[in-house]
Amino acid sequence: MRLYIVDAFTSEAFAGNSAGVVLLDSPGDAGWMRSVAAELKHAETAFVEVGGEGPKSLRWFTPETEVDLCGHATLATTHVLGGEQTFTTRSGELRCRAEDGWVSMDFPSDPPRESDDDLSSILPGVSFEYVGRGRQTLFAVVDDAAMVRSLDLDLAALRAHWTGRLMVTAPGDLDGIDFVTRYFAPGIGIDEDPVTGSAHCVLAPYWAARLGRDELVGEQASARGGIVRMNLEGDRVLLSGQAVTVASGELHV
Protein backbone atom coordinates (compact mmCIF):
# COMPACT_ATOMS: atom_id res chain seq x y z
CA MET A 1 0.00 0.00 0.00
CA ARG A 2 1.24 3.47 -0.85
CA LEU A 3 1.70 5.85 2.08
CA TYR A 4 2.19 9.61 1.92
CA ILE A 5 2.93 12.26 4.54
CA VAL A 6 1.51 15.63 3.53
CA ASP A 7 1.59 19.04 5.23
CA ALA A 8 -1.80 20.66 4.60
CA PHE A 9 -3.00 24.28 4.65
CA THR A 10 0.51 25.50 3.95
CA SER A 11 2.80 26.16 0.98
CA GLU A 12 5.92 25.26 3.00
CA ALA A 13 7.12 21.94 4.37
CA PHE A 14 7.07 21.44 8.16
CA ALA A 15 4.22 23.93 8.63
CA GLY A 16 0.44 23.61 8.53
CA ASN A 17 -1.08 20.30 9.67
CA SER A 18 0.59 17.02 8.80
CA ALA A 19 -1.55 14.07 7.70
CA GLY A 20 -0.94 10.51 6.66
CA VAL A 21 -2.62 9.30 3.47
CA VAL A 22 -2.93 5.56 2.83
CA LEU A 23 -4.16 4.30 -0.56
CA LEU A 24 -6.25 1.13 -0.28
CA ASP A 25 -7.24 -1.29 -3.04
CA SER A 26 -10.10 -2.66 -0.92
CA PRO A 27 -11.87 -1.77 2.36
CA GLY A 28 -9.66 -1.82 5.44
CA ASP A 29 -10.46 -3.16 8.90
CA ALA A 30 -11.27 -0.35 11.37
CA GLY A 31 -8.99 -1.77 14.07
CA TRP A 32 -6.10 -2.00 11.63
CA MET A 33 -6.64 1.56 10.41
CA ARG A 34 -6.68 2.82 14.00
CA SER A 35 -3.41 0.97 14.65
CA VAL A 36 -1.80 2.52 11.57
CA ALA A 37 -2.95 5.99 12.69
CA ALA A 38 -1.54 5.37 16.17
CA GLU A 39 1.77 4.28 14.62
CA LEU A 40 2.00 7.37 12.42
CA LYS A 41 0.96 9.70 15.29
CA HIS A 42 -0.47 12.45 13.06
CA ALA A 43 -3.58 14.30 14.16
CA GLU A 44 -5.41 12.33 11.46
CA THR A 45 -4.55 9.69 8.90
CA ALA A 46 -6.78 9.30 5.86
CA PHE A 47 -7.57 5.92 4.29
CA VAL A 48 -8.95 6.13 0.76
CA GLU A 49 -10.06 3.26 -1.50
CA VAL A 50 -8.67 3.75 -4.99
CA GLY A 51 -9.23 0.26 -6.42
CA GLY A 52 -12.63 0.84 -8.04
CA GLU A 53 -14.49 3.34 -10.18
CA GLY A 54 -16.78 6.16 -9.11
CA PRO A 55 -16.73 7.92 -5.73
CA LYS A 56 -13.96 6.79 -3.40
CA SER A 57 -14.58 5.70 0.18
CA LEU A 58 -12.63 7.96 2.58
CA ARG A 59 -12.19 7.47 6.34
CA TRP A 60 -10.17 9.39 8.92
CA PHE A 61 -8.57 8.19 12.15
CA THR A 62 -6.79 9.98 14.97
CA PRO A 63 -4.34 7.91 17.03
CA GLU A 64 -7.33 7.05 19.27
CA THR A 65 -10.54 6.99 17.23
CA GLU A 66 -12.35 7.38 13.91
CA VAL A 67 -13.76 10.86 13.25
CA ASP A 68 -16.73 12.00 11.18
CA LEU A 69 -15.01 14.79 9.26
CA CYS A 70 -11.42 15.94 8.76
CA GLY A 71 -10.51 18.85 6.51
CA HIS A 72 -6.71 18.76 6.45
CA ALA A 73 -6.51 15.01 5.77
CA THR A 74 -9.09 15.38 2.97
CA LEU A 75 -7.03 18.20 1.52
CA ALA A 76 -3.92 15.99 1.78
CA THR A 77 -5.72 13.10 0.06
CA THR A 78 -6.91 15.29 -2.82
CA HIS A 79 -3.41 16.74 -3.15
CA VAL A 80 -2.00 13.19 -3.50
CA LEU A 81 -4.64 11.99 -6.00
CA GLY A 82 -4.90 15.23 -8.00
CA GLY A 83 -7.73 16.43 -10.24
CA GLU A 84 -11.40 16.25 -9.29
CA GLN A 85 -12.37 13.75 -6.62
CA THR A 86 -15.63 12.67 -5.04
CA PHE A 87 -15.44 10.91 -1.67
CA THR A 88 -18.09 8.99 0.26
CA THR A 89 -17.66 9.61 3.97
CA ARG A 90 -19.42 9.54 7.34
CA SER A 91 -20.32 13.20 6.64
CA GLY A 92 -21.88 12.47 3.27
CA GLU A 93 -20.45 12.99 -0.20
CA LEU A 94 -17.57 15.45 -0.45
CA ARG A 95 -16.42 16.95 -3.75
CA CYS A 96 -12.86 18.23 -3.99
CA ARG A 97 -10.53 19.56 -6.65
CA ALA A 98 -6.76 20.04 -6.93
CA GLU A 99 -5.86 22.78 -9.40
CA ASP A 100 -3.00 25.27 -9.84
CA GLY A 101 -1.39 24.38 -6.52
CA TRP A 102 -4.59 24.75 -4.49
CA VAL A 103 -7.13 22.25 -3.22
CA SER A 104 -10.79 23.24 -2.80
CA MET A 105 -13.24 21.16 -0.75
CA ASP A 106 -17.04 21.36 -0.65
CA PHE A 107 -18.02 20.68 2.99
CA PRO A 108 -21.28 20.93 4.96
CA SER A 109 -21.78 24.13 6.95
CA ASP A 110 -22.13 23.74 10.73
CA PRO A 111 -23.46 27.03 12.17
CA PRO A 112 -22.90 27.25 15.93
CA ARG A 113 -25.83 27.28 18.29
CA GLU A 114 -25.59 29.45 21.40
CA SER A 115 -25.09 27.44 24.58
CA ASP A 116 -24.78 27.99 28.32
CA ASP A 117 -21.58 25.93 28.71
CA ASP A 118 -19.49 27.14 31.64
CA LEU A 119 -15.88 27.31 30.45
CA SER A 120 -14.49 28.90 33.62
CA SER A 121 -12.72 25.69 34.71
CA ILE A 122 -11.16 25.26 31.26
CA LEU A 123 -10.14 28.91 30.74
CA PRO A 124 -10.22 30.62 34.15
CA GLY A 125 -10.44 34.39 34.08
CA VAL A 126 -11.27 34.62 30.37
CA SER A 127 -14.27 36.72 29.33
CA PHE A 128 -16.24 35.44 26.33
CA GLU A 129 -18.36 37.41 23.86
CA TYR A 130 -20.17 34.26 22.78
CA VAL A 131 -20.21 30.55 23.63
CA GLY A 132 -21.87 27.99 21.39
CA ARG A 133 -21.68 24.50 20.02
CA GLY A 134 -21.21 23.02 16.59
CA ARG A 135 -22.18 19.40 16.02
CA GLN A 136 -19.20 18.14 18.02
CA THR A 137 -17.18 21.18 19.06
CA LEU A 138 -17.51 23.90 21.68
CA PHE A 139 -17.15 27.34 20.12
CA ALA A 140 -15.99 30.41 22.08
CA VAL A 141 -15.40 33.99 20.89
CA VAL A 142 -13.14 36.51 22.64
CA ASP A 143 -12.41 40.10 21.61
CA ASP A 144 -8.62 39.98 21.33
CA ALA A 145 -6.48 37.95 18.90
CA ALA A 146 -3.51 38.28 21.27
CA MET A 147 -5.51 36.41 23.89
CA VAL A 148 -6.14 33.58 21.42
CA ARG A 149 -2.45 33.40 20.54
CA SER A 150 -1.43 33.15 24.22
CA LEU A 151 -4.13 30.76 25.50
CA ASP A 152 -3.14 28.37 28.27
CA LEU A 153 -6.06 26.12 29.09
CA ASP A 154 -6.76 23.14 31.34
CA LEU A 155 -6.76 20.18 28.94
CA ALA A 156 -7.95 17.73 31.61
CA ALA A 157 -10.97 19.91 32.33
CA LEU A 158 -11.69 20.20 28.61
CA ARG A 159 -11.39 16.46 28.07
CA ALA A 160 -14.07 15.93 30.73
CA HIS A 161 -16.44 18.49 29.17
CA TRP A 162 -18.88 17.23 26.51
CA THR A 163 -16.81 15.87 23.58
CA GLY A 164 -13.54 17.38 24.80
CA ARG A 165 -13.17 19.68 21.78
CA LEU A 166 -12.96 23.47 21.88
CA MET A 167 -12.14 26.22 19.40
CA VAL A 168 -11.46 29.78 20.56
CA THR A 169 -11.58 32.59 18.01
CA ALA A 170 -11.23 36.39 17.78
CA PRO A 171 -11.15 39.08 15.08
CA GLY A 172 -7.96 39.04 13.02
CA ASP A 173 -5.02 41.25 13.91
CA LEU A 174 -3.08 41.00 10.62
CA ASP A 175 -3.75 42.43 7.16
CA GLY A 176 -5.85 40.06 5.08
CA ILE A 177 -6.83 37.86 8.05
CA ASP A 178 -10.48 38.04 9.09
CA PHE A 179 -10.21 35.97 12.26
CA VAL A 180 -7.73 33.99 14.34
CA THR A 181 -8.46 30.59 15.90
CA ARG A 182 -6.92 27.84 17.98
CA TYR A 183 -8.42 24.37 18.31
CA PHE A 184 -8.00 21.87 21.14
CA ALA A 185 -9.31 18.28 21.08
CA PRO A 186 -7.95 16.15 23.95
CA GLY A 187 -11.24 14.23 23.83
CA ILE A 188 -10.04 12.51 20.64
CA GLY A 189 -6.35 12.40 21.50
CA ILE A 190 -5.21 15.75 20.05
CA ASP A 191 -4.13 18.31 22.65
CA GLU A 192 -3.91 21.07 20.02
CA ASP A 193 -4.59 20.59 16.33
CA PRO A 194 -2.25 22.68 14.13
CA VAL A 195 -4.87 23.50 11.44
CA THR A 196 -8.43 22.17 11.52
CA GLY A 197 -10.34 22.31 8.24
CA SER A 198 -13.60 20.97 9.69
CA ALA A 199 -13.58 23.68 12.40
CA HIS A 200 -13.99 26.25 9.65
CA CYS A 201 -17.39 24.74 8.83
CA VAL A 202 -18.42 26.29 12.17
CA LEU A 203 -16.25 29.39 11.88
CA ALA A 204 -17.35 30.39 8.36
CA PRO A 205 -21.09 30.86 9.04
CA TYR A 206 -20.42 32.69 12.32
CA TRP A 207 -17.88 35.15 10.89
CA ALA A 208 -19.78 35.57 7.61
CA ALA A 209 -22.84 36.72 9.56
CA ARG A 210 -20.78 38.94 11.84
CA LEU A 211 -18.69 40.56 9.07
CA GLY A 212 -21.43 40.68 6.44
CA ARG A 213 -19.60 38.81 3.68
CA ASP A 214 -19.23 35.24 2.51
CA GLU A 215 -15.56 35.18 1.43
CA LEU A 216 -13.20 34.91 4.40
CA VAL A 217 -9.60 34.12 5.33
CA GLY A 218 -8.78 32.53 8.67
CA GLU A 219 -5.49 31.97 10.46
CA GLN A 220 -5.11 29.04 12.83
CA ALA A 221 -2.50 30.33 15.27
CA SER A 222 -0.88 27.10 16.45
CA ALA A 223 2.88 26.66 16.65
CA ARG A 224 2.93 25.35 13.05
CA GLY A 225 0.15 27.66 11.88
CA GLY A 226 -1.87 27.67 8.69
CA ILE A 227 -4.21 29.66 6.45
CA VAL A 228 -7.71 28.58 5.40
CA ARG A 229 -9.74 30.36 2.72
CA MET A 230 -13.53 30.03 2.89
CA ASN A 231 -16.53 30.82 0.73
CA LEU A 232 -19.92 30.29 2.35
CA GLU A 233 -22.51 29.07 -0.17
CA GLY A 234 -25.85 28.41 1.55
CA ASP A 235 -25.52 25.29 3.67
CA ARG A 236 -22.08 24.46 2.23
CA VAL A 237 -18.62 25.88 2.87
CA LEU A 238 -15.98 25.85 0.14
CA LEU A 239 -12.63 25.49 1.94
CA SER A 240 -9.36 26.08 0.09
CA GLY A 241 -5.73 25.55 0.99
CA GLN A 242 -2.34 24.46 -0.25
CA ALA A 243 -0.31 21.36 0.59
CA VAL A 244 3.20 19.93 0.36
CA THR A 245 4.15 16.22 0.16
CA VAL A 246 7.09 15.66 2.51
CA ALA A 247 7.45 11.86 2.27
CA SER A 248 6.13 8.85 0.40
CA GLY A 249 6.73 5.12 0.55
CA GLU A 250 5.11 1.74 1.19
CA LEU A 251 3.15 0.40 4.12
CA HIS A 252 4.15 -3.24 4.66
CA VAL A 253 1.70 -4.45 7.32
Side-chain angles (χ1 to χ4, degrees):
M1 289 161 285
R2 295 295 296 169
L3 167 67
Y4 298 82
I5 306 300
V6 177
D7 289 342
F9 291 116
T10 179
S11 60
E12 300 178 357
F14 315 123
N17 201 353
S18 187
V21 179
V22 178
L23 307 188
L24 303 175
D25 289 328
S26 58
D29 172 76
W32 172 82
M33 288 189 279
R34 187 167 56 250
S35 294
V36 172
E39 182 79 7
L40 293 177
K41 296 182 173 63
H42 298 290
E44 274 91 4
T45 297
F47 298 83
V48 58
E49 293 177 34
V50 296
E53 297 182 358
K56 299 174 175 64
S57 173
L58 176 62
R59 298 172 73 176
W60 312 276
F61 286 79
T62 76
E64 291 190 5
T65 189
E66 185 172 9
V67 296
D68 291 336
L69 184 64
C70 178
H72 85 279
T74 304
L75 191 155
T77 302
T78 308
H79 170 77
V80 167
L81 298 177
E84 294 190 12
Q85 301 293 336
T86 301
F87 302 113
T88 57
T89 78
R90 287 170 61 159
S91 290
E93 193 170 87
L94 305 178
R95 293 181 175 84
C96 305
R97 174 185 294 180
E99 185 176 32
D100 297 330
W102 287 79
V103 172
S104 60
M105 305 179 292
D106 183 357
F107 274 23
S109 176
D110 183 13
R113 301 166 300 283
E114 189 169 5
S115 77
D116 58 359
D117 287 275
D118 181 2
L119 303 183
S120 59
S121 65
I122 300 168
L123 285 163
V126 175
S127 177
F128 301 102
E129 293 185 349
Y130 174 90
V131 175
R133 289 185 177 189
R135 293 188 185 96
Q136 295 183 316
T137 306
L138 290 165
F139 178 87
V141 182
V142 298
D143 62 3
D144 186 2
M147 182 183 297
V148 174
R149 297 183 188 279
S150 63
L151 281 175
D152 183 16
L153 71 167
D154 187 329
L155 290 171
L158 173 56
R159 188 180 184 106
H161 192 107
W162 195 36
T163 60
R165 310 180 202 186
L166 168 68
M167 69 181 86
V168 183
T169 186
D173 55 352
L174 300 173
D175 289 343
I177 300 297
D178 294 304
F179 59 85
V180 174
T181 305
R182 288 175 68 190
Y183 184 92
F184 307 90
I188 55 172
I190 306 166
D191 286 349
E192 181 171 4
D193 199 30
V195 192
T196 315
S198 59
H200 291 77
C201 296
V202 184
L203 291 158
Y206 173 84
W207 285 108
R210 178 163 167 170
L211 299 176
R213 49 192 168 82
D214 294 335
E215 293 188 12
L216 303 161
V217 179
E219 176 194 359
Q220 195 152 331
S222 64
R224 288 172 64 103
I227 301 296
V228 182
R229 299 182 182 275
M230 293 145 278
N231 194 337
L232 186 65
E233 298 180 351
D235 63 353
R236 308 293 293 182
V237 180
L238 190 66
L239 304 176
S240 300
Q242 296 175 287
V244 179
T245 300
V246 297
S248 63
E250 294 183 356
L251 186 62
H252 294 282
V253 293

